[in-house]
Amino acid sequence: MSARPVAFINARLVDPESRYDGPGALVVQDGAIAEVFRRPSIENLSADVTVIDCDGSMLAPGLVDLRVKTGEPGAEPKETLKSASRAAAAGGVTSFVIQPDTDPTVDEPAMVDFVIHRARDIGLVNVCVAGAATKGCGGQRMAELGLMAEAGAVYFTDVDKPIVDSKVFRRVLAYAKAFDRLVAHRPHDPYLSAGAVATSGEFASRLGLPSVPAVAERIMLERDLGLAEVTGARLLVDQITTADALESLARARAKGVRASASASINHLSFNELDIGDYRTFYRLDPPLRPETDRQALVDAVASGLVEVIVSAHAPAPAEDKRLPFAEAAPGAVGLETFLPALLVLHHSGGLPLIDVITAATLAPARMIGLKCGRLTAGAPADLVLCDIGAPILIDAEKLLSKSKNSPFDRRRLQGRIRLTMTGGRVVHGA
Amino acid sequence: MERSDALALLDLADAFVGLNLQHEKKIGLLSGQTLVNLFFEASTRTQSSFELAGKRLGADAINMSPRTSSMTKGETLIDTAVTLNAMKPDLLVVRHGASGGAALLSQKVSCAVVNAGDGSHEHPTQALLDALTLRRSFGHIEGLTVAICGDVAHSRVARSNIALLQILGAQVRLVGPPTLLPAGADMWGADVFTDMKKGIAGVDVVMMLRLQLERMDGAFVPSTREYFRYWGLDPEKLALAAPGVKVMHPGPMNRGVEIDSVVADDPAVSLIQDQVEMGVAVRMAVLASLAARQSGSAR
């Protein structure tokens, strides 16, 4: 480990905790942030300090991504923990949470332990693990939530499979509460959404694609909110996408239900018209929505109703994507493009930079009890240095993920990541 | 498609109708060219119609029907495309069970691709042959009111017809049970009816759609007899249409389910046989135009 302290000078500090966005400098020592200055330069630096001149680039906490899939274990050709870690480092993501729907499922403490140790050996970024809420993500029998929590699982989820049996879901919520763990659930009625690859409406009808009415999300969400209310448990609404569901969420939160929500960067960036030429990189679960829903989602991030933004990184190799639209695997890789895509919300969406950064750093970190996400003395030195105005052209073939299914392919974005630091160690850039 | 492109194709097809009535039906427009019929979904009339069209234009036509299970359908599509492309066909006619199938295939091959039906999306040559049939029967398409009836939600024939008929100036109505009408269809510029008697009142043309058997029996409609009662075309319902009404069906028909044989076989109202005849001519026109465009771009 580098014993020499590092000083970042001439930076634009963006600190979600103090909500400071302005000129500053910062010193890192022994893996942690040692000192923060609200002026660009630092006087009387000792000679053994490595100085990095930021030239006005943004220095922010490294991103925290609550929803990442890899193929390890079970489907390594898609993505390994190592390739995902490299992609994360290149994208300025310093912590991410692996989803448990692997083969085998992460539904017992030994599996949690296995993934944590594998990731620790790679040692690029912080890899956390979410445990399955039910055995095999089958929605029937509760998994060992307590033992997995003890082994380090940060929250529980069955990922894309809804827990249809309300009694099971109620018990999961109540039980997880005893271990002070969050339960994440992606709300959708599985009967309405069976086989669907698009959102019902004029456009999907014209394309002749099987579709699901948007209300399928609200139907399940209302149940989830009701059960969160009666159990008093903490619920994370995983990837909320529709204006309708946002209204339900707002109502429940006003009543004091402990529900938070995440939005995927894909649903903040694209709408249903993007599937127009059957490009399977836009085949997502949940499917892309009309522009009115996308706009409502952006507004919900702006208002704080949706606190967290995730990349929803879901690698799918070419053989699973080079198919007719309805037959292709869902999902998109997102780790490496996460920050530039977030910056679109600031550059063209009019959201304050501090709010966009908070939704992908401090907010998710707090939700799962991580100490990062802040530029405060004593916090871990998980940092990203990004020239947020620099134009970049996304070339999916050059992404570090093993799968190249990026919906941002050939898109022009802004935000070149100059350096990523995890625990005081540079893991990307110079 | 532009109105002028559609009309040019119809005019060319009209000329081929005449040719098809002569004793010597072959001309050499496509001689030396290879036409491959690639049908992932079984089809008798569309496939034979394209084959005949290609042969009458002098092309070498071969049929391929890759046997597919639903598991390997897509894989077969890309693999077959790459294999076929290596054989350098000039024209590829493809039918695939997935919406966007033909479009995907066209990205992987270097020859012209004709969509002979992709999932629930489009069936362009069917719409063209329907338009030609109507134009020859009525003398015009502009101003006609056409009711498209039945399983609109899953029908590529309906989608292509709605688009083309509107381009050509017809009024389109959609009629069917609520479970088989696509979401948002009211935004397509067509009037939507669930009551067939109201839907076909005063129309000039009733275009029936095929109801797939697996969609009956409780899935989308309760039973075939209930379907026939409310949405089957029988003489009683047809009497509500305009005098001189014509009936069409893309085939194959489920007699007694969506259409009464009395109606289907009545030469005074049925254009169903004409549709088949026009099919060959329209496909000749499409293939000939593509070949002309290709040789034009090669120069």
Side-chain angles (χ1 to χ4, degrees):
Chain A
M1 298 293 281
S2 67
R4 287 178 59 164
V6 178
F8 292 91
I9 60 166
N10 295 323
R12 174 180 176 180
L13 294 187
V14 174
D15 175 32
E17 190 170 54
S18 63
R19 293 193 58 80
Y20 177 74
D21 176 357
L26 181 149
V27 176
V28 168
Q29 189 157 22
D30 298 329
I33 296 169
E35 267 187 292
V36 182
F37 303 86
R38 291 196 176 178
R39 54 177 189 274
S41 56
I42 308 170
E43 300 81 31
N44 309 321
L45 275 173
S46 66
D48 68 330
V49 177
T50 306
V51 176
I52 295 174
D53 189 339
C54 303
D55 293 322
S57 286
M58 175 187 78
L59 185 64
L63 304 188
V64 178
D65 188 348
L66 289 187
R67 199 189 212 273
V68 170
K69 292 191 189 195
T70 74
E72 187 172 349
E76 284 80 359
K78 268 191 204 178
E79 187 89 293
T80 58
L81 289 167
K82 188 169 191 173
S83 62
S85 296
R86 289 175 60 211
V93 176
T94 52
S95 300
F96 64 79
V97 182
I98 288 289
Q99 301 300 287
D101 58 342
T102 44
D103 182 17
T105 310
V106 181
D107 59 0
E108 47 132 351
M111 284 301 300
V112 175
D113 213 45
F114 166 79
V115 177
I116 289 176
H117 277 92
R118 288 283 297 158
R120 196 167 289 163
D121 291 345
I122 296 159
L124 277 172
V125 299
N126 305 311
V127 178
C128 305
V129 180
T134 65
K135 286 177 180 147
C137 293
Q140 299 290 323
R141 292 173 304 137
M142 206 190 304
E144 292 172 322
L145 306 188
L147 292 174
M148 285 196 287
E150 202 177 314
V154 292
Y155 69 85
F156 298 108
T157 178
D158 276 359
V159 199
D160 293 312
K161 286 191 191 157
I163 300 175
V164 183
D165 188 325
S166 303
K167 193 186 278 175
V168 172
F169 192 55
R170 180 191 177 169
R171 287 174 181 159
V172 165
L173 283 168
Y175 197 83
K177 189 191 170 196
F179 294 91
D180 194 30
R181 283 293 188 278
L182 189 68
V183 175
H185 194 243
R186 175 157 88 74
H188 62 115
D189 180 310
Y191 302 104
L192 281 171
S193 59
V197 298
T199 305
S200 291
E202 187 274 328
F203 194 65
S205 292
R206 205 182 329 153
L207 293 177
L209 291 173
S211 61
V212 54
V215 74
E217 181 169 287
R218 193 187 81 200
I219 289 171
M220 188 60 99
L221 178 63
E222 289 282 359
R223 182 207 71 168
D224 293 355
L225 293 168
L227 292 176
E229 185 177 356
V230 297
T231 56
R234 288 164 61 214
L235 172 71
L236 172 63
V237 182
D238 179 29
Q239 295 183 78
I240 197 165
T241 59
T242 61
D244 219 17
L246 287 165
E247 268 178 40
S248 298
L249 177 68
R251 258 199 313 276
R253 281 170 61 116
K255 271 174 78 180
V257 176
R258 299 169 76 199
S260 324
S262 68
S264 97
I265 190 63
N266 299 319
H267 293 87
L268 290 165
S269 306
F270 307 111
N271 66 29
E272 61 175 358
L273 300 182
D274 286 300
I275 68 176
D277 53 2
Y278 298 103
R279 222 173 123 64
T280 57
F281 287 181
Y282 297 100
R283 156 100 173 85
L284 304 173
D285 248 348
L288 287 171
R289 306 298 191 186
E291 174 62 11
T292 46
D293 283 323
R294 190 196 71 84
Q295 195 54 55
L297 195 57
V298 173
D299 293 346
V301 170
S303 73
L305 177 62
V306 168
E307 292 163 80
V308 171
I309 304 176
V310 297
S311 76
H313 183 83
E319 61 268 28
D320 292 348
K321 280 290 190 184
R322 286 172 61 190
L323 294 172
F325 194 85
E327 293 167 17
V333 291
L335 277 167
E336 220 170 320
T337 51
F338 194 17
L339 184 49
L342 282 167
L343 289 171
V344 174
L345 298 174
H346 168 60
H347 290 309
S348 347
L351 267 62
L353 183 61
I354 187 90
D355 290 345
V356 174
I357 296 299
T358 302
T361 54
L362 185 65
R366 277 198 175 142
M367 208 169 274
I368 59 170
L370 301 182
K371 294 198 194 92
C372 56
R374 311 171 292 148
L375 300 183
T376 314
D382 294 353
L383 302 168
V384 58
L385 179 64
C386 176
D387 181 352
I388 65 166
I392 54 168
L393 174 65
I394 305 296
D395 179 353
E397 285 308 311
K398 291 192 177 142
L399 295 177
L400 296 174
S401 281
K402 287 181 95 171
S403 296
K404 312 296 182 189
N405 52 310
S406 169
F408 292 95
D409 187 29
R410 312 315 302 167
R411 297 228 176 200
R412 292 177 191 282
L413 302 176
Q414 280 174 278
R416 193 169 56 82
I417 288 136
R418 294 176 55 188
L419 179 144
T420 307
M421 181 177 264
T422 312
R425 214 156 53 86
V426 175
V427 292
H428 169 78
Chain B
M1 181 182 261
E2 298 283 330
R3 184 185 162 88
S4 54
D5 292 338
L7 290 174
L9 274 174
L10 292 183
D11 291 343
L12 183 57
D14 236 341
F16 285 129
V17 175
L19 178 73
N20 286 338
L21 293 173
Q22 290 170 16
H23 180 66
E24 173 57 57
K25 299 182 178 67
K26 258 189 146 174
I27 54 171
L29 266 178
L30 296 185
S31 73
Q33 303 218 14
T34 310
L35 165 75
V36 177
N37 268 329
L38 183 59
F39 277 62
F40 292 88
E41 263 186 359
S43 150
T44 315
R45 74 181 67 198
T46 306
Q47 180 170 326
S48 54
S49 170
F50 267 109
E51 183 182 354
L52 211 51
K55 284 182 171 161
R56 287 197 180 152
L57 291 172
D60 298 315
I62 62 165
N63 294 324
M64 295 182 65
S65 308
R67 220 177 292 156
T68 53
S69 74
S70 59
M71 284 297 290
T72 57
K73 218 185 253 174
E75 194 180 13
T76 311
L77 176 64
I78 294 283
D79 292 348
T80 313
V82 172
T83 310
L84 271 178
N85 199 42
M87 299 178 188
K88 311 282 180 231
D90 301 287
L91 294 155
L92 200 53
V93 175
V94 63
R95 166 167 294 187
H96 195 271
S99 299
L104 177 65
L105 189 120
S106 71
Q107 293 163 15
K108 308 291 171 191
V109 297
S110 43
C111 63
V113 173
V114 180
N115 183 2
D118 63 326
S120 304
H121 180 222
E122 290 261 18
H123 192 353
T125 55
Q126 177 73 40
L128 284 166
L129 75 87
D130 288 343
L132 183 63
T133 308
L134 284 176
R135 198 172 73 168
R136 289 174 64 94
S137 174
F138 287 88
H140 61 96
I141 289 171
E142 194 138 18
L144 291 178
T145 303
V146 182
I148 301 177
C149 307
D151 183 1
V152 180
H154 299 96
S155 175
R156 52 191 173 217
V157 174
R159 281 172 183 71
S160 287
N161 262 311
I162 293 164
L164 185 61
L165 286 169
Q166 289 183 343
I167 286 170
L168 297 175
Q171 275 285 106
V172 177
R173 297 185 188 177
L174 302 177
V175 182
T179 44
L180 293 174
L181 289 169
D186 51 321
M187 292 161 75
W188 289 350
D191 295 318
V192 182
F193 296 84
T194 51
D195 182 338
M196 187 161 179
K197 288 181 177 168
K198 288 183 183 154
I200 65 174
V203 300
D204 303 301
V205 181
V206 180
M207 194 179 271
M208 297 306 297
L209 299 171
R210 177 179 165 78
L211 181 64
Q212 301 284 341
L213 288 162
E214 65 268 21
R215 300 203 170 111
M216 292 171 240
D217 211 20
F220 289 85
V221 290
S223 66
T224 52
R225 66 176 188 184
E226 179 158 335
Y227 186 80
F228 184 70
R229 166 139 184 158
Y230 296 108
W231 293 281
L233 185 62
D234 55 19
E236 192 194 329
K237 294 196 192 85
L238 191 61
L240 300 167
V245 64
K246 297 292 182 190
V247 173
M248 305 176 85
H249 192 297
M253 284 181 280
N254 292 309
R255 290 166 184 267
V257 177
E258 71 250 359
I259 191 163
D260 193 324
S261 284
V262 175
V263 174
D265 300 335
D266 180 354
V269 297
S270 174
L271 294 177
I272 296 169
Q273 286 310 313
D274 305 68
Q275 287 176 277
V276 180
E277 185 187 343
M278 295 310 125
V280 179
V282 155
R283 279 147 191 153
M284 287 170 79
V286 168
L287 296 176
S289 313
L290 278 173
R293 186 178 297 181
Q294 276 188 316
S295 62
S297 64
R299 258 176 235 139

